[in-house]
Amino acid sequence: MNPNSVTREPLGAIVFHADEIAAAVGRLGQALTNDLRDEPVLLVGVLKGALFLVADLARALPPRADIRIDFLAVASYGNSTRSSGEVRLLKDTSESIEGKNVVIVEDIVDNGLTLDYLQRLLASRNPASLRSCVLLDKPYRRLVDVTIDYTGLLAPDAFIVGYGLDYQEKYRNLPYLARLEEWALES
Ligand code: IMP
Ligand code: MG
């Protein structure tokens, strides 16, 4: 048999199970609740990676709280696993953020360029306050210094997929977070 025809599994070890993600999102929701008190808040999710995080975080906040949800979309990677160093706004928020308590909700911060870009962009629009809430952080990978107000989990130095995070648009639907095997990544 030709060994090259053997299908190998690109998904590696699980990094965080669904219950660990849920616990982290619960902690993020609690921390946000403590800081915001009874202030209205606008969650701005960064598509598409933060899709599930926004959905779960919003429900980890008090049910009667004054919460609005909006989204924007950026492209920072194209289809590659390495940042092009260039961030582009693909879709802006639907509502104005002026005068609002805004929380940027992002799946992962790697080199920091995406969050840095978003913080500068949204800060220039005069929100009442601007915070950032991130599920996964790779602090040892920073190219630019960014402030993260709420961090869920420390990510290992690997390419991670699942719970909204993709590789070439695949694996977002995994209920857990797993490594993608090195060999499966396009260089
Ligand atoms: P940064 O600009 O390098 O901080 O990258 C932020 C964006 O890159 C995130 O919003 C993700 O979409 C993507 N990204 C960074 N690391 C990973 C990873 O390990 N898996 C999947 N996407 C990632
Ligand atoms: Mg992505």
Side-chain angles (χ1 to χ4, degrees):
M1 194 173 64
N2 177 356
N4 293 326
S5 69
V6 175
T7 314
R8 288 196 288 170
E9 174 54 61
L11 265 189
I14 292 183
V15 177
F16 296 109
H17 290 86
D19 59 338
E20 294 174 283
I21 299 170
V25 176
R27 290 193 296 271
L28 292 173
Q30 193 56 59
L32 251 179
T33 303
N34 293 344
D35 290 356
L36 285 162
R37 304 183 180 265
D38 289 328
E39 301 268 342
V41 63
L42 174 65
L43 301 178
V44 175
V46 184
L47 292 173
K48 300 170 202 170
L51 181 62
F52 301 113
L53 177 60
V54 169
D56 290 340
L57 181 67
R59 289 175 295 175
L61 299 175
R64 309 256 171 174
D66 186 348
I67 290 154
R68 304 171 70 89
I69 300 175
D70 206 340
F71 293 98
L72 50 73
V74 290
S76 39
Y77 278 66
N79 263 346
S80 157
T81 56
R82 241 173 279 153
S83 175
S84 55
E86 187 189 302
V87 185
R88 265 187 316 132
L89 190 67
L90 298 179
K91 178 216 173 299
D92 210 334
T93 56
S94 304
E95 62 178 87
S96 164
I97 66 160
E98 193 174 341
K100 294 176 185 161
N101 296 304
V102 174
V103 180
I104 300 172
V105 183
E106 182 50 316
D107 54 358
I108 186 167
V109 177
D110 184 42
N111 61 37
L113 288 168
T114 306
L115 188 59
D116 181 59
Y117 168 83
L118 290 175
Q119 285 177 338
R120 287 169 196 275
L121 178 74
L122 299 191
S124 73
R125 296 174 175 178
N126 303 314
S129 64
L130 183 62
R131 294 177 168 86
S132 54
C133 178
V134 167
L135 180 65
L136 294 157
D137 190 14
K138 292 179 178 171
Y140 45 84
R141 297 255 308 166
R142 288 295 190 281
L143 291 180
V144 287
D145 251 336
V146 283
T147 308
I148 305 176
D149 298 290
Y150 310 96
T151 304
L153 299 160
L154 194 65
D157 193 7
F159 197 79
I160 293 165
V161 293
Y163 194 71
L165 287 92
D166 72 304
Y167 177 60
Q168 298 184 344
E169 293 302 321
K170 274 182 69 183
Y171 308 110
R172 293 194 198 276
N173 59 305
L174 298 177
Y176 48 81
L177 288 154
R179 285 165 190 268
L180 202 68
E181 296 289 5
E182 202 93 25
W183 61 260
L185 299 170
E186 236 170 49
S187 54

